[in-house]
Every structure is written in structure tokens, then in C-alpha cells.
Amino acid sequence: MNAADVARYLKEHPDFLADHGELFTQLTVPHPHGGQAISLAERQLHALRDKIRQLESKLAELIRYGEENDEIGEKVHRLALALVEAEDYDTLRFALLENVRDNFSVPNVALRVWANAQSHEGEDFSPVTEELRFFATDLSHPYCGAPANLEVIDWFGPAACHIRSVALVPLRRGDQVLGLLAFGSEEAERFYPGMGTLYLARIGDLVVAALRHQLG
């Protein structure tokens, strides 16, 4: 009989160890972390302790994620209040840019609105290429990653040459894209492919609602 036969026998006769409980103290196995041999019972305790440590680590990780989400949710809430309180477009723009810079620590923020752009003046309503409009329309969710679109990078002005990662949020109302909100960072890992975009999308929704109120 070899080891495989023993293992198969124990699987086929689960009551064997229950009927021979003395084996837990009589048989010994190597210590999981090296050192002297220990009984089966003590080995089981070590296995349970390792499992508990893994579960505690997972729980701590989930709690940390929950706290981070609560913090981000509070920041989005403050942004929503600032946008709601804006009395005109200039106030809205200031509230958006300052809130994102101060609360989210994103130093470079740019906005372009092409819906109703003909009836408004200012940098935010500057013409954009058809290529960029198609790009924004094709975005089903915010883009995060390397700054591949040079037209957008130019929006950041003097900081453009230092941008290493971007988040591009389409300002969508139904099937229509009204414009694009761009965040830029000098850190390559600040906005990366595969990162969660839920809160970015919610910020985009808030901006669209505020723009509808101010611009019609």
C-alpha cells in the first residue's frame, strides 16, 4: 500500500479518524514552519491559525477599501453641493476646477463643451476637431491611461509637457455627448488602464446636470 492508497482509503472511510481519535496525538507530522515534529491535532491548530490570519488580512483590506470609498463619496458630495450652488457658468467652472484640485488632488483640469458652443464665449467653448468628438462619443466609460490624444493634452497649457497620465470623462446626456472633462497628472500611475471609473462617471453626470442648468 502506498501513500495514494492511504489517502484514497481515508477519503472513502471518513469515519476512520473519528473512530480512532487517539491517532491525532500518537501520529506526528513536520511543523509547518520547520522545527520539531508535532501531533496531527497541533498541526490542525496551526492550519486553523493560518486560515484565521488570512481571513483577518482580507477583512482589513475590505475595511480599508470601504473607508476609501466613503472618503471619495464625501468628496463627490461636496463637489455636487458646489455645483448646485453655482449661480452662473463662471461660478460653476470655478467650483468644478477648484474642488477637483483641492479635494481630489488633481492639479490639472480642463473642460471643453461643444454643445451650444456657438452661443458662448471662452476657452471652454473653443472648437475641437471632429476626430475628438468621435473619440468622446465612442467612450462607453471614462478613459484612464497614457496621454495619447495630443489635442486634449494641449488643453493643460504650460503643464502639458509634464502630463504622464490622464482621465477623460465624456459629458454624456442620453446618446449625445456635450463635451469632455479632462484630468491630468504628472504621475504615470495616477490614472491607469483597468482602474475603477465609477466615481469619475458620477462626476461627469454631475457636471452634465450643472451645465444643463446653466447653459440650457
Side-chain angles (χ1 to χ4, degrees), residues 44-100:
Q44 184 66 14
L45 285 177
H46 280 284
L48 289 174
R49 288 177 185 141
D50 289 341
K51 184 64 175 179
I52 290 172
R53 280 192 290 269
Q54 293 175 10
L55 292 174
E56 288 176 340
S57 176
K58 186 63 176 179
L59 178 58
E61 182 180 8
L62 292 174
I63 291 174
R64 185 174 69 255
Y65 286 150
E67 291 174 344
E68 290 175 355
N69 284 335
D70 287 344
E71 183 179 352
I72 296 174
E74 175 61 26
K75 293 177 180 178
V76 172
H77 176 67
R78 291 199 295 269
L79 172 61
L81 292 178
L83 295 178
V84 168
E85 294 172 354
E87 298 179 353
D88 52 37
Y89 181 78
D90 289 338
T91 307
L92 182 156
R93 184 181 191 278
F94 178 82
L96 171 63
L97 271 58
E98 289 301 307
N99 198 289
V100 170

Side-chain angles (χ1 to χ4, degrees), residues 142-148 153 163-168 183-185 187-195:
Y143 166 86
C144 295
I153 300 307
I163 300 299
R164 295 294 177 266
S165 64
V166 296
L168 307 179
F183 302 137
S185 174
E187 301 174 13
E189 299 301 322
R190 178 63 189 276
F191 302 110
Y192 55 89
M195 70 178 291

Side-chain angles (χ1 to χ4, degrees), residues 73-145:
E74 175 61 26
K75 293 177 180 178
V76 172
H77 176 67
R78 291 199 295 269
L79 172 61
L81 292 178
L83 295 178
V84 168
E85 294 172 354
E87 298 179 353
D88 52 37
Y89 181 78
D90 289 338
T91 307
L92 182 156
R93 184 181 191 278
F94 178 82
L96 171 63
L97 271 58
E98 289 301 307
N99 198 289
V100 170
R101 288 167 179 162
D102 294 343
N103 290 329
F104 294 91
S105 299
V106 179
N108 304 290
V109 187
L111 175 66
R112 288 295 184 275
V113 181
W114 45 81
N116 299 325
Q118 296 83 358
S119 57
H120 297 87
E121 298 180 353
E123 182 181 33
D124 296 348
F125 301 97
S126 300
V128 299
T129 63
E130 285 296 318
E131 180 183 0
L132 180 60
R133 292 195 185 198
F134 288 137
F135 169 78
T137 300
D138 288 341
L139 289 177
S140 59
H141 53 78
Y143 166 86
C144 295

Side-chain angles (χ1 to χ4, degrees), residues 166-189:
V166 296
L168 307 179
V169 184
L171 302 179
R172 189 182 302 276
R173 182 175 65 188
D175 295 332
Q176 181 185 15
V177 174
L178 311 180
L180 192 68
L181 177 63
F183 302 137
S185 174
E186 298 178 6
E187 301 174 13
E189 299 301 322

